[in-house]
Amino acid sequence: MVCKLLRTIGFALGLAITAASAPARAADNGTVSVLYAGSLVNLMEHSVGPAFRQATGLNLQGYAAGSNKIANEIKGRLRRGDVFISASPKVNGSLMGEVNGNHVTWYVTFARSPLMIGYNPRSKFARDFKTRRWDKVLQEPGIRIGRTDPKLDPKGAFAMQMVTRAAELYHQPDLVQKILGAPENPAQVLPEETLIGRLQSGQLDAGFFYSTEISDLKIPAVAPDAALHTQADYTLTILADAPNAAGAAKFVDFLLSRQGKALLEAHGIEVAKPAVTGNPLTMPASVQAVVEAPVQ
């Protein structure tokens, strides 16, 4: 009697679990999880996500952070997703190969966005950016500068690179120390996804941003000399353990399509001909076809 009762309870629990998990599986199949560089928040939330849903019926579930931070979380199995969009090709290397867990076997470099110095138009230093060279303004007493952690985000590394080059170009050996201080300077280093909000709220006077962020939010900015040019080179890939690989392929196809390119350009991103790194034989056939299609 007891055994029969236990079997009955077990059967009932099994039905309950199956019923509860079935909608979750269906929801997963209808959702594509995209882990992307924090500089693309506005693009993904307000343009790509809604357009992708309208075109495919699939929802985009996004997670934004510094590219290196996301890669570290993937590698440490702290975060799982379908698609990974990085702001630097180098980041993908940390996820490729057996020693790195084979999370990435290929990636496509598809767009770029130059690094600029954006400033708050209500800052007391705003007028100076219009009349003085950017590095001179960033050395003024009391100016509050924001940037990302060079260990966690390519934009932070690009900022260090730009100022280091400026020190050589302007023959000012102590320029990095005067503008940035130490690489991990806690007064400046902030999470990428919060940097713009702090600038807009007046907590920062200036910061280092990509042209897409400048364009999206109409942030006044200055561009450095051509010799100091550095940029984000955006890449995308489908992670090897993607829970929704079919949906991921549809997302990549969409972002590389004519409509996707138009959305990128509308957000100040320069679209480039897709270039594949890694093993193209592991790419979905539809993605291969999009990548190999003639430039439109």
Side-chain angles (χ1 to χ4, degrees), residues 284-296:
S286 64
V287 176
Q288 289 187 43
V290 173
V291 170
E292 294 170 1
V295 178
Q296 298 179 342

Side-chain angles (χ1 to χ4, degrees), residues 5-229:
L5 179 61
L6 289 174
R7 285 197 299 271
T8 302
I9 293 173
F11 179 72
L13 287 173
L15 288 177
I17 292 172
T18 301
S21 60
R25 287 197 295 271
D28 288 342
N29 290 335
T31 299
V32 180
S33 174
V34 181
L35 316 178
Y36 56 84
S39 54
L40 300 177
V41 169
N42 198 55
L43 168 71
M44 290 295 171
E45 289 186 355
H46 301 294
S47 291
V48 171
F52 176 61
R53 181 176 181 179
Q54 184 175 14
T56 66
L58 299 174
N59 294 312
L60 185 153
Q61 182 182 62
Y63 170 72
S67 299
N68 293 95
K69 181 177 185 292
I70 295 175
N72 291 339
E73 291 177 349
I74 293 171
K75 193 171 182 179
R77 301 189 183 280
L78 300 175
R79 189 168 299 279
R80 193 178 181 190
D82 298 310
V83 176
F84 175 41
I85 302 178
S86 167
S88 171
K90 291 182 179 179
V91 177
N92 296 278
S94 67
L95 297 171
M96 301 180 79
E98 186 175 354
V99 68
N100 293 315
N102 286 318
H103 296 284
V104 170
T105 58
W106 59 270
Y107 64 88
V108 175
T109 305
F110 67 101
R112 48 185 171 257
S113 186
L115 187 69
M116 305 177 75
I117 297 92
Y119 59 91
N120 186 317
R122 297 179 299 278
S123 166
K124 64 180 181 180
F125 301 98
R127 181 176 298 179
D128 293 343
F129 277 108
K130 299 176 182 180
T131 59
R132 304 185 67 196
R133 201 171 65 198
W134 65 272
D135 60 296
K136 298 292 186 183
V137 183
L138 293 184
Q139 294 181 68
E140 292 187 23
I143 190 168
R144 298 163 299 174
I145 303 169
R147 57 187 174 89
T148 57
D149 190 335
K151 296 179 181 178
L152 299 178
D153 180 46
K155 184 161 58 179
F158 294 149
M160 294 289 297
Q161 180 179 317
M162 178 187 289
V163 179
T164 300
R165 288 179 180 175
E168 299 175 0
L169 181 65
Y170 303 142
H171 306 291
Q172 191 172 341
D174 59 349
L175 190 63
V176 175
Q177 179 61 37
K178 285 188 173 181
I179 292 179
L180 304 179
E184 66 280 1
N185 183 354
Q188 293 184 357
V189 174
L190 300 164
E192 183 176 27
E193 58 272 23
T194 69
L195 201 60
I196 284 183
R198 296 198 181 214
L199 181 77
Q200 293 177 318
S201 66
Q203 297 177 58
L204 297 174
D205 296 300
F208 294 86
F209 302 95
Y210 294 130
S211 63
T212 178
E213 300 169 293
I214 297 296
S215 173
D216 275 350
L217 299 169
K218 306 295 186 293
I219 298 172
V222 293
D225 295 325
L228 305 177
H229 176 86

